[in-house]
Amino acid sequence: MKKLVVVGNGMAGVACVEQILKHAPQFEITIFGDETHVNYNRILLSSVLAGEKSVDDITLNDLQWYGRHNIRLQLGVRVVDLDFERKAVTADDGSVTPFDKVLLATGSSPVMPPIEGIEKDGVFVFRTLDDTRALLARARKGLRAVVIGGGLLGLEAARGLQLQGCEVTVVHLMDTLMERQLDFAAGQCLKSKMESVGIEVLLGRATSAIVGGRRVEAIVFRGGTSIRADLIVVAAGIRPNVELARMAGLRVNRGIEVNDYMETSHPDVFAVGECVEHRGICYGLVAPLLEQGKVVAATITGNKGPVYEGSVQAAKLKIMGVDVFSAGVFNEEAPGTDVVRYEDPALGIYKKLTLSDGKLAGAILVGDTSDSHRYMGWLRSGQDLASVRHKLLFPGPAEDSGLDIAQMPDTETVCGCMGVTKGTIIHAIHEQGIQTLPQLKECTRASTGCGSCTDLCQQFLKAVVPEFQEETKRTLCKCVPFAEDNLRDILRSQKLRSVQEVLDIYGNGQGCEICKPALSYMLDMLWCGGHDEDRSARFINDRVHANIQKDGTFSVVPRMRGGVTSPDELRRIADVAERYRVRMVKITGSQRIDLLGVQKSDLPKIWADLGMPSGQAYTKGVRMVKTCVGTDFCRFGVQDSTSAGIELERRLENLYTPHKVKMGAVGCPRNCAEATVKDIGLVGQEGSWQVVVGGAAGKKVRKADLLITVGTTAEALEAAEVFFQYYRENANYLERSYDFVERLGIEKVRKETAYATDAAKSALLDRLRKSKALARDAWLERDVPKVATQFVQIEPLEEVLA
Amino acid sequence: MNQPRKWIRVTHCHNIPLREGRAVKAGNHEVAIFNLGDRFLAIDNRCPHGGGPLSEGIVSGPTVVCPLHAWKVNLETGSVTSPGNTRPCLATFSTRVENGVVSIEVPIESATNEDVPADCIAHGGVASWLTSSRLANG
């Protein structure tokens, strides 16, 4: 076996190794990485900073992968010498590793401009996972962050910091943003978009100094003006890491020079990625990696032949709500160049195509990037556009959504980051039996880069796999465009306690009838009742603790635990019904009594007169436990379901849940109180209880799944509580337990509740108890209303008629 | 058309919590007054759909969401923004704040002189308009 040493454990190095592994095995491979992490997706660091993805989400190759392929991985170690005489590399830990071939994938580093004070505490760069972690550790609500550099990375860093709660200003040397990818008009359009999401942009500012004590305090511009800064990110460009190559005597210009076979000036050394210079170009993007990797893999394994001829440069800004795409070149002055432009400033849409000799040379899209893959296809293929010239910017709606993808040639690249073509994807689907997006990602790597081709990949799956079900990352709503599990993480880590704070930082500042109640619930659940309650974010039922009816009156349902009441309670209910002229008194399906047609202003008096707690019949919360008479009276009862049901209701009442929770407890399998069609049911049997979950007898009828069978009532109650809290913490808002259990699968639910470790179970129970300790009977607000005028009819201070 | 109108003082600002509405009976009208933080907006308190009390709705920017069936009404124009996007349908009322008291400007005439907006045909708006007026006359 020959020895291959790979210097660099980033996307480029590992992408090449993956290609080399596709050839017949002939190398013992050692990979050196000076970062301490396995290969991760560097492009998505901005999503980690934004809190949209976790570190695990962006891992590309886990440790098992290295092990599976017998790759020796040296992390946190930097190669400092490349010795051709001894044919060995020396690392900064003193180790010497012999090689037959070397692959350099050393990447690039942030450029640090010579600014006075740049070494101060509080100045960061944004390049690695550690940089991102350091930023996350420092960034917090209310800090003033300044990003130096208005390029792709700087803008993404700015948005990430803003989502961490910072007030952000982007300072750019040039007079337009992303000037290497955008023209002036597009840059202006981008600027106003950044401003509209709340990020300040200062153009044409040269930073002359960073001032402060040990820590940064302000940034000073040439000309003398300054702005306050608690935190500074330098994103002023990148520079290829060439020192190792230069010291080894390889030919180096701006990057390490390589030919079309990815060979350097030494026959045993190859180079790929951001550290190379190919035909005079240094690429700072992932897109060419796979193309380069395939070529180098062929060359290095003795299959020299394929050549790399350069890539179309493309950039896509990954900021939600700020769509920017740019590809190719924009030399408008060159002879034979035509420019096609479309602009709608009010909508913030700007599109420009540059054509050279009738072929597409460059594309800029701001505000609407939905056609970017079409333009990338034209750029790569270099096809003559005469036949589509009249509708370059307007493809017109495709009558058949499958038509668009059917028309794509097999050679067209779908995933620019990973260099995956339509042909590869279709082949994988047919040959490997792929049915889901995660499978497709794992098999082809498509859509594991920036993720902008995810939609397209889904379309392929939809078109080719008959049983394909779309994987949709459902976001909460348009106001707060995050998936709910993401949001829960964000709110917890950012310690946000009020709905308006969340809307201001992560949303559009306004909110709507969908997100406001959802966020209210989430905050209540996450902080176990210790959130800042804002009634304006609650649906009317949760402001007045009664259910609004079609005529604007309300219904009142007092709590009757287990459906058990008393003559005294019934007398009070009867008195109230008469005293307040209740229009209808009705026995509900939940073994309770409903008083219908009540005026809002009467509610506090009625609650007081009833002297019973709220039954929460108006809210997404704990409704009731329906019971049978169990062993008390029934000839067949084998468990005391009445007491068990009352106890369960007592333990969970006054708590809020993603959707309503109706429960039941029955004393024998005859199931008289229908426990098997409840969200949580206790089904008594001789000597044991079955705890069942996810039942339904509403819009949908579903028999509950068996969670666990236990011997004692205490165990049954605890199992129900564990599931209850697990549902509270993991279901999406308005997701009933039966949809939740179906979505996760009962096996997973069981594993994480009934069969979870004792530690996990007691953690769930602890949080439940904590919430319960702060939970109050909502009807006690009759004495101390949360909002003074909640139940008061406001009378004008003066009459209308004079 | 040019009905005489009158400013009436309604209530102290703090009685209408931030981003909430409160209903108030002002002569022939039941008016919903909303506190948007930087201003107060007032609108007829009957949703043109099912007559729902808009004052009890969740506020979303300059819009209120009816608590009954989630119709959305723009508080500035009185038009329904969802479902569809109709022309102004509900009467809106000018507001002002003086010495911490919200005032609204209402017509002083009885319902007979009221002009029903001509565009109120959509979604059965006319019927509910008349109903609400009649109810208000009591």
Side-chain angles (χ1 to χ4, degrees):
Chain A
M1 282 277 215
K2 285 188 279 182
K3 295 180 175 60
L4 171 66
V5 167
V6 181
V7 185
N9 184 42
M11 297 176 77
V14 178
C16 284
V17 170
E18 285 187 334
Q19 292 304 316
I20 290 169
L21 290 171
K22 290 188 174 169
H23 292 267
Q26 48 179 295
F27 288 114
E28 268 173 34
I29 303 175
T30 304
I31 302 181
F32 286 92
D34 61 357
E35 292 187 54
T36 51
H37 308 278
V38 291
N39 182 33
Y40 60 88
N41 189 335
R42 197 179 301 280
I43 324 172
L44 293 181
L45 284 178
S46 52
S47 305
V48 175
L49 184 62
E52 294 157 3
K53 286 202 156 53
S54 71
V55 172
D56 286 346
D57 290 338
I58 67 165
T59 297
L60 286 173
N61 302 77
D62 55 21
L63 270 179
Q64 286 75 29
W65 177 85
Y66 294 89
R68 244 189 345 264
H69 295 98
N70 294 317
I71 294 168
R72 198 162 74 97
L73 179 62
Q74 299 281 295
L75 287 180
V77 178
R78 178 190 288 264
V79 172
V80 291
D81 184 54
L82 194 54
D83 186 340
F84 295 118
E85 306 251 304
R86 293 160 61 198
K87 288 207 117 182
V89 298
T90 308
D92 61 358
D93 62 349
S95 65
V96 176
T97 310
F99 66 78
D100 295 297
K101 307 269 179 200
V102 173
L103 176 63
L104 296 176
T106 49
S108 55
S109 299
V111 170
M112 295 301 274
I115 299 171
E116 187 192 324
I118 202 162
E119 74 293 341
K120 283 191 193 303
D121 181 27
V123 180
F124 294 83
V125 292
F126 182 44
R127 168 78 193 163
T128 65
L129 193 49
D130 285 340
D131 295 339
T132 312
R133 283 186 169 145
L135 269 172
L136 281 171
R138 181 66 69 89
R140 56 168 200 280
K141 212 167 140 258
L143 286 192
R144 276 208 47 90
V146 176
V147 177
I148 302 178
L152 193 77
L153 195 66
L155 295 177
E156 291 185 359
R159 177 61 166 165
L161 288 169
Q162 188 200 27
L163 290 179
Q164 296 302 329
C166 300
E167 275 175 59
V168 186
T169 303
V170 173
V171 175
H172 195 44
L173 184 63
M174 313 303 282
D175 58 359
T176 173
L177 292 174
M178 284 179 71
E179 75 283 350
R180 288 180 58 183
Q181 288 93 11
L182 303 181
D183 62 4
F184 189 78
Q188 287 301 111
C189 193
L190 171 58
K191 177 172 181 272
S192 49
K193 277 182 188 291
M194 293 303 288
E195 287 165 344
S196 75
V197 301
I199 292 172
E200 189 186 18
V201 178
L202 300 177
L203 296 174
R205 301 286 176 105
T207 305
S208 64
I210 292 167
V211 296
R214 194 177 64 82
R215 273 207 182 188
V216 299
E217 283 164 20
I219 179 165
V220 182
F221 303 116
R222 198 167 297 158
T225 56
S226 68
I227 53 172
R228 197 167 71 72
D230 303 309
L231 184 163
I232 293 171
V233 177
V234 179
I238 53 170
R239 174 184 296 137
N241 291 327
V242 297
E243 300 75 17
L244 183 67
R246 182 174 282 138
M247 286 190 311
L250 299 177
R251 192 151 50 222
V252 169
N253 187 25
R254 189 172 135 73
I256 304 166
E257 288 185 24
V258 293
N259 61 17
D260 287 0
Y261 299 105
M262 307 310 290
E263 295 167 321
T264 68
S265 56
H266 190 284
D268 291 329
V269 184
F270 307 81
V272 288
E274 292 183 351
C275 64
V276 308
E277 180 171 327
H278 173 261
R279 297 189 185 180
I281 299 176
C282 294
Y283 293 96
L285 303 156
V286 198
L289 283 191
L290 216 95
E291 298 163 50
Q292 293 182 358
K294 280 182 179 159
V295 172
V296 86
T299 313
I300 214 166
T301 54
N303 299 298
K304 191 165 167 177
V307 291
Y308 175 67
E309 298 179 289
S311 302
V312 175
Q313 300 238 44
K316 189 160 186 164
L317 193 63
K318 293 181 300 304
I319 298 182
M320 191 127 22
V322 185
D323 294 321
V324 175
F325 169 82
S326 158
V329 290
F330 314 98
N331 187 359
E332 290 182 30
E333 272 76 53
T337 298
D338 289 330
V339 174
V340 184
R341 206 188 314 253
Y342 173 83
E343 228 173 319
D344 187 334
L347 288 185
I349 294 176
Y350 177 84
K351 300 182 181 189
K352 185 172 97 170
L353 301 183
T354 315
L355 281 74
S356 174
D357 299 327
K359 295 169 184 162
L360 189 62
I364 292 176
L365 307 172
V366 181
D368 172 14
T369 56
S370 51
D371 280 334
S372 57
H373 80 267
R374 201 161 59 110
Y375 299 136
M376 275 311 282
W378 287 347
L379 280 166
R380 289 203 182 94
S381 67
Q383 79 181 83
D384 188 281
L385 299 176
S387 65
V388 289
R389 184 67 192 254
H390 59 292
K391 48 179 184 180
L392 286 177
L393 286 168
F394 305 96
E399 283 165 21
D400 167 7
S401 65
L403 202 64
D404 245 7
I405 58 169
Q407 282 171 347
M408 279 172 76
D410 273 4
T411 51
E412 186 165 334
T413 303
V414 174
C415 174
C417 297
M418 297 296 158
V420 187
T421 61
K422 174 189 169 187
T424 310
I425 290 176
I426 301 294
H427 182 81
I429 294 174
H430 284 313
E431 304 300 316
Q432 319 271 338
I434 280 169
Q435 298 192 340
T436 66
L437 189 62
Q439 288 171 347
L440 185 68
K441 284 180 176 179
E442 192 172 328
C443 178
T444 64
R445 286 257 179 243
S447 115
T448 57
C450 70
S452 58
C453 63
T454 306
D455 284 350
L456 208 52
C457 288
Q458 301 231 46
Q459 282 183 40
F460 285 121
L461 285 163
K462 208 153 55 182
V464 183
V465 183
E467 58 273 28
F468 174 69
Q469 291 200 332
E470 213 159 326
E471 183 200 50
T472 43
K473 193 82 176 169
R474 250 192 41 196
T475 59
L476 179 53
C477 71
K478 274 192 285 190
C479 316
V480 193
F482 293 87
E484 285 181 54
D485 46 356
N486 259 344
L487 264 177
R488 286 190 291 267
D489 289 345
I490 292 173
L491 305 192
R492 191 183 293 117
S493 66
Q494 299 309 307
K495 305 198 167 38
L496 294 174
R497 285 171 194 268
S498 82
V499 172
Q500 195 56 40
E501 257 182 335
V502 180
L503 291 173
D504 286 341
I505 300 175
Y506 293 95
N508 64 359
Q510 298 190 342
C512 68
E513 81 284 6
I514 297 166
C515 59
K516 282 184 168 184
L519 291 170
S520 299
Y521 167 72
M522 258 183 232
L523 291 167
D524 173 44
M525 180 276 291
L526 285 170
W527 303 114
C528 299
H531 63 295
D532 298 337
E533 172 72 12
D534 173 4
R535 286 290 155 85
S536 76
R538 296 281 191 183
F539 183 58
I540 182 63
N541 287 10
D542 284 308
R543 297 182 190 174
V544 299
H545 313 301
N547 196 349
I548 193 166
Q549 306 294 311
K550 61 182 286 187
D551 60 353
T553 63
F554 292 87
S555 77
V556 172
V557 180
R559 191 166 288 290
M560 275 177 192
R561 299 183 188 96
V564 176
T565 181
S566 67
D568 184 41
E569 276 182 354
L570 290 172
R571 222 170 264 128
R572 275 181 276 151
I573 290 170
D575 287 345
V576 161
E578 283 183 350
R579 196 173 305 142
Y580 296 94
R581 293 194 199 88
V582 165
R583 292 224 310 272
M584 180 185 275
V585 182
K586 171 116 185 40
I587 307 291
T588 73
S590 303
Q591 301 184 335
R592 312 203 279 188
I593 294 176
D594 197 352
L595 306 173
L596 290 142
V598 171
Q599 295 299 323
K600 183 173 69 172
S601 51
D602 286 337
L603 288 169
K605 289 176 278 180
I606 289 185
W607 300 336
D609 291 358
L610 283 172
M612 294 166 75
S614 161
Q616 289 184 285
Y618 45 80
T619 191
K620 312 301 174 206
V622 173
R623 294 294 175 86
M624 79 306 155
V625 184
K626 193 170 174 177
T627 67
C628 66
V629 293
T631 45
D632 274 0
F633 294 91
C634 181
R635 287 178 291 138
F636 304 107
V638 290
Q639 291 286 1
D640 184 359
S641 51
T642 322
S643 306
I646 289 172
E647 175 60 17
L648 183 61
E649 188 162 342
R650 208 181 279 281
R651 287 194 193 182
L652 303 181
E653 67 189 19
N654 299 329
L655 289 170
Y656 294 91
T657 40
H659 207 307
K660 59 187 171 188
V661 171
K662 297 176 143 199
M663 294 171 282
V666 291
C668 82
R670 283 173 190 77
N671 196 22
C672 293
E674 298 130 13
T676 54
V677 285
K678 296 285 177 238
D679 295 288
I680 299 177
L682 305 183
V683 182
Q685 327 182 93
E686 192 68 55
S688 67
W689 286 98
Q690 285 189 337
V691 181
V692 296
V693 297
K699 195 156 59 180
K700 187 165 161 184
V701 180
R702 182 178 191 270
K703 186 171 186 290
D705 292 309
L706 176 63
L707 184 69
I708 192 169
T709 303
V710 291
T712 67
T713 307
E715 290 171 300
L717 291 170
E718 190 178 294
E721 285 180 301
V722 168
F723 171 80
F724 175 81
Q725 182 66 11
Y726 178 76
Y727 166 65
R728 290 185 77 209
E729 293 182 6
N730 294 285
N732 291 327
Y733 192 64
L734 298 187
E735 183 176 38
R736 279 296 289 268
S737 74
Y738 45 84
D739 289 325
F740 174 68
V741 169
E742 251 176 35
R743 175 163 66 88
L744 270 62
I746 186 65
E747 291 77 19
K748 182 177 160 78
V749 171
R750 230 179 252 141
K751 213 160 70 191
E752 299 189 353
T753 58
Y755 297 154
T757 60
D758 286 346
K761 275 194 273 194
S762 50
L764 282 165
L765 288 172
D766 280 351
R767 292 191 290 271
L768 176 64
R769 307 255 186 275
K770 215 170 142 201
S771 299
K772 179 69 182 171
L774 284 180
R776 292 281 170 277
D777 167 17
W779 286 359
L780 294 177
E781 284 183 18
R782 61 181 174 247
D783 301 323
V784 197
K786 179 88 186 156
V787 176
T789 54
Q790 187 62 74
F791 302 101
V792 182
Q793 173 62 52
I794 292 178
E795 297 298 334
L797 295 170
E798 57 185 318
E799 294 285 322
V800 176
L801 297 170
Chain B
M1 271 306 204
N2 280 330
Q3 267 172 285
R5 297 176 86 87
K6 182 191 176 193
W7 282 97
I8 60 160
R9 296 162 70 240
V10 179
T11 191
H12 283 276
C13 291
H14 58 71
N15 285 331
I16 307 175
L18 181 60
R19 293 184 292 272
E20 287 192 34
R22 286 292 181 265
V24 58
K25 288 216 169 57
N28 293 328
H29 297 270
E30 183 165 314
V31 178
I33 307 179
F34 292 87
N35 177 355
L36 298 199
D38 54 351
R39 64 207 151 126
F40 288 81
L41 291 174
I43 191 167
D44 188 6
N45 193 27
R46 296 281 142 205
C47 177
H49 171 225
L54 295 176
S55 56
E56 315 278 34
I58 286 179
V59 172
S60 170
T63 307
V64 66
V65 185
C66 176
L68 294 193
H69 308 96
W71 276 41
K72 295 183 182 170
V73 179
N74 184 303
L75 298 172
E76 289 161 336
T77 62
S79 56
V80 174
T81 61
S82 167
N85 202 348
T86 61
R87 305 285 290 276
C89 204
L90 283 185
T92 57
F93 305 87
S94 304
T95 66
R96 70 183 181 203
V97 175
E98 280 169 332
N99 303 321
V101 171
V102 193
S103 299
I104 58 174
E105 192 186 31
V106 290
I108 40 180
E109 231 64 11
S110 65
T112 47
N113 278 352
E114 267 179 38
D115 48 325
V116 176
D119 298 312
C120 215
I121 314 295
H123 311 299
V126 167
S128 62
W129 174 275
L130 294 175
T131 314
S132 73
S133 302
R134 221 176 288 129
L135 280 178
N137 285 336

